[in-house]
Amino acid sequence: MHLCNMYALVDCNNFYASCERIFKPELIGKPIVVLSNNDGCVIARSNEAKPYVPMGAVAFKYREVFKKNNIYVFSSNYALYADMSNRVMRILNQFTPEIEIYSIDEAFLNFTGLETLNLEQYSLQIIKKVNQWTKIPVSIGIAPTKALTKIANKIAKKFPNRTKNTYTIDNEEKRIKALKWTKIEDVWGIGRQFSKKLFLLNVKTAYDFTLLSDSFVQKEFSIVGLRLKRELEGKSVLKLEKTENKKNIATTRSFKNDIIEYNQIKERITTFACSCAEKLRKQNSYCNSLTVFIYTNNFKNKQKQYRKSVHLKLPFATNSNITLSKFAVKGLQTIFKNGYAFKKAGVILHDIHLKTHKQLNLFENENPKHEKLMQIMDKINHKLGEHKIKLASQNLEKTWIMKQEKLSNKYTTSWNELLTVK
């Protein structure tokens, strides 16, 4: 095992539930679940709730379970979670110049060059600072490869009293012991089908997987499986990835009520296209194509069903609300059918690239006035609040509202919802 490079995985513990507890400390130690969009199903659980509620549980079917076990239920507060995540990631940036934000609650840190430090003590400093500045509890796994940091992190979480929420795999004895402890289905990158195939080969742990020959692993599980095997052997082949702009941007929504009228769907598609355009401009990008789709409600078996999408290549790169909504509506016109009750629709942008890489078309290009107009719209909407200025083809009175009956305040992102100290 090579120790010239060392990585860390910092993982926020029960992140959504922890965010809710920051501003309601009386919930510390109490069971909490957080629901998906429109309060559909459980997407996060505190440790206290896990014995009673499985991940993905349909919320309305578990109402009695929530009530019987005094489980606190929250709607997803994405504004709060995203802001708290940004705060955690900014703190992590103070401890290493190289960081890969892996998800909203996880980040890989490169500790190369810090080998002279006591990395466990260093990680305890990280845990302490994140807790002091955000009150978010984190666990840290340290190892010479990214795959091993995942296992080290699981150990830190599983035995918090013994590990103080940080664990380091820095020798062969620890590596082998950790691999033998880790079930094959719990290994990072091992999917359900992958693990079923391995069970048939009597591979039950991560250690068993490393005993397979390289040639067999590559033949049966491709180069991806071989890379994972080498990572588990302590050979670093997966480097930190730089944060890149999104390659696809989407705005999709389920409607509160089924929609039959074309003009209502048209207005929603226009609004979705404008939302996508705003996201494009935030990352200083343009797109060259888009997809529009509409779905009926497949849960209503007695209704006629219809699902259709269309992909459009744009004549030039754009991030304009006006242009994207125009082409999105053209796409809708080709797939809309009368007589159906639609439950969901969306717009997806593709072929995204940075503004600096924008290519001009010889025959047709964006109206140059659009760019200045979009800048002014974004500036006013940022100052006065989202969507104060819209296109005339949008419903000026309508904003899409999710069903969020258990929504907590946007404590850190809205002046009107700040915590009040009495």
Side-chain angles (χ1 to χ4, degrees):
M1 186 167 66
H2 305 285
L3 299 178
C4 54
N5 294 323
M6 291 296 279
Y7 298 95
L9 175 67
V10 181
D11 186 10
C12 301
N13 301 339
N14 303 314
F15 181 61
Y16 287 3
S18 295
C19 288
E20 298 293 350
R21 283 170 168 163
I22 293 170
F23 303 96
K24 293 187 176 180
E26 67 272 16
L27 297 183
I28 294 173
K30 302 290 178 62
I32 294 173
V33 297
V34 179
L35 306 180
S36 63
N37 288 347
N38 293 312
D39 292 348
C41 59
V42 174
I43 58 170
R45 307 163 296 164
S46 68
N47 289 336
E48 298 80 5
K50 289 178 181 178
Y52 309 106
V53 184
M55 187 67 82
V58 179
F60 77 87
K61 292 182 179 180
Y62 274 77
R63 285 174 185 161
E64 289 302 315
V65 175
F66 297 154
K67 186 176 179 180
K68 180 181 177 181
N69 296 287
N70 298 314
I71 296 173
Y72 293 83
V73 182
F74 290 92
S75 302
S76 293
N77 191 337
Y78 294 120
L80 175 65
Y81 306 154
D83 182 64
M84 295 310 300
S85 174
N86 288 335
R87 292 171 188 241
V88 171
M89 299 307 167
R90 287 199 298 269
I91 294 170
L92 299 183
N93 265 306
Q94 299 176 15
F95 288 88
T96 176
E98 192 175 355
I99 177 174
E100 175 193 336
I101 299 175
Y102 185 66
S103 67
I104 192 171
D105 61 347
E106 288 180 284
F108 289 104
L109 278 59
N110 189 344
F111 279 168
T112 302
L114 304 177
E115 293 84 358
T116 56
L117 298 176
N118 183 320
L119 293 182
E120 283 203 7
Q121 290 299 317
Y122 197 58
S123 64
L124 288 173
Q125 292 178 36
I126 296 174
I127 293 170
K128 181 179 179 181
K129 193 159 194 174
V130 171
N131 184 57
Q132 281 181 334
W133 289 20
T134 68
K135 294 300 179 185
I136 297 289
V138 299
S139 297
I140 301 178
I142 303 170
T145 73
K146 290 171 73 175
L148 286 174
T149 65
K150 279 278 188 175
I151 293 176
N153 191 281
K154 285 182 181 291
I155 294 171
K157 276 190 172 181
K158 182 70 175 177
F159 309 103
N161 293 331
R162 196 185 310 173
T163 64
K164 298 180 181 178
N165 292 303
T166 179
Y167 186 75
T168 302
I169 297 175
D170 55 4
N171 59 50
E172 275 297 290
E173 183 183 354
K174 283 185 175 181
R175 182 185 71 85
I176 292 172
K177 186 177 180 181
L179 294 183
K180 288 181 176 179
W181 174 80
T182 305
K183 296 177 182 178
I184 190 64
E185 63 267 30
D186 293 336
V187 175
W188 181 44
I190 299 285
R192 185 176 297 177
Q193 294 303 318
F194 202 169
S195 60
K196 284 182 180 178
K197 197 171 183 179
L198 289 167
F199 276 134
L200 295 175
L201 298 169
N202 203 33
V203 174
K204 298 179 180 179
T205 68
Y207 181 71
D208 294 337
F209 181 65
T210 62
L211 297 180
L212 299 174
S213 70
D214 285 359
S215 58
F216 179 81
V217 171
Q218 184 166 355
K219 179 183 176 183
E220 296 294 323
F221 305 106
S222 79
I223 190 66
V224 176
L226 182 58
R227 287 174 185 155
L228 175 59
K229 178 177 181 289
R230 288 181 175 161
E231 283 267 317
L232 295 175
E233 291 171 338
K235 304 165 188 173
S236 179
V237 294
L238 301 176
K239 306 304 179 185
L240 296 199
E241 298 178 7
K242 294 182 179 179
T243 303
E244 297 181 354
N245 289 325
K246 294 180 179 178
K247 296 178 181 177
N248 296 299
I249 286 176
T251 300
T252 67
R253 299 286 186 265
S254 294
F255 308 130
K256 188 174 182 180
N257 300 306
D258 294 351
I259 298 178
I260 299 174
E261 297 294 327
Y262 169 76
N263 284 334
Q264 288 183 282
I265 293 278
K266 176 185 174 184
E267 190 280 329
R268 291 289 81 195
I269 289 295
T270 299
T271 297
F272 298 165
C274 291
S275 173
C276 287
E278 290 166 13
K279 295 174 186 177
L280 263 184
R281 295 194 296 275
K282 281 183 180 178
Q283 66 174 43
N284 204 26
S285 297
Y286 291 80
C287 77
N288 287 280
S289 63
L290 62 82
T291 296
V292 178
F293 72 82
I294 47 176
Y295 297 162
T296 52
N297 191 340
N298 58 4
F299 290 105
K300 295 184 178 179
N301 298 323
K302 294 181 180 180
Q303 288 186 358
K304 293 190 296 182
Q305 298 297 315
Y306 179 74
R307 298 166 68 91
K308 194 73 173 178
S309 65
V310 61
H311 183 78
L312 299 177
K313 185 73 176 176
L314 303 177
F316 47 80
T318 182
N319 61 15
S320 163
N321 291 27
I322 300 169
T323 304
L324 286 172
S325 62
K326 171 186 170 183
F327 282 98
V329 169
K330 279 187 177 181
L332 175 65
Q333 290 170 347
T334 67
I335 61 175
F336 182 83
K337 277 192 176 183
N338 287 312
Y340 290 89
F342 292 100
K343 182 62 177 177
K344 188 173 183 179
V347 175
I348 307 169
L349 306 185
H350 313 281
D351 302 324
I352 294 172
H353 54 78
L354 291 173
K355 182 178 180 180
T356 52
H357 298 157
K358 182 182 180 184
Q359 292 184 340
L360 296 177
N361 191 307
L362 185 61
F363 301 104
E364 187 177 6
N365 283 292
E366 184 87 87
N367 185 330
K369 294 181 180 179
H370 283 204
E371 185 168 359
K372 189 67 176 177
L373 178 59
M374 294 302 108
Q375 289 175 359
I376 294 171
M377 280 184 62
D378 291 341
K379 186 175 181 181
I380 294 173
N381 284 333
H382 179 73
K383 186 175 181 180
L384 300 181
E386 290 186 6
H387 311 128
K388 294 296 183 183
I389 297 182
K390 298 182 178 182
L391 300 185
S393 52
Q394 294 178 259
N395 186 332
L396 301 180
E397 302 298 324
K398 185 173 183 178
T399 55
W400 179 74
I401 301 175
M402 284 192 294
K403 179 184 177 183
Q404 293 178 304
E405 295 177 347
K406 306 287 186 179
L407 186 65
S408 55
N409 287 353
K410 301 180 184 70
Y411 295 105
T412 64
T413 59
S414 172
W415 285 108
N416 296 326
E417 299 183 33
L418 292 177
L419 203 63
T420 302
V421 179
K422 297 181 180 179

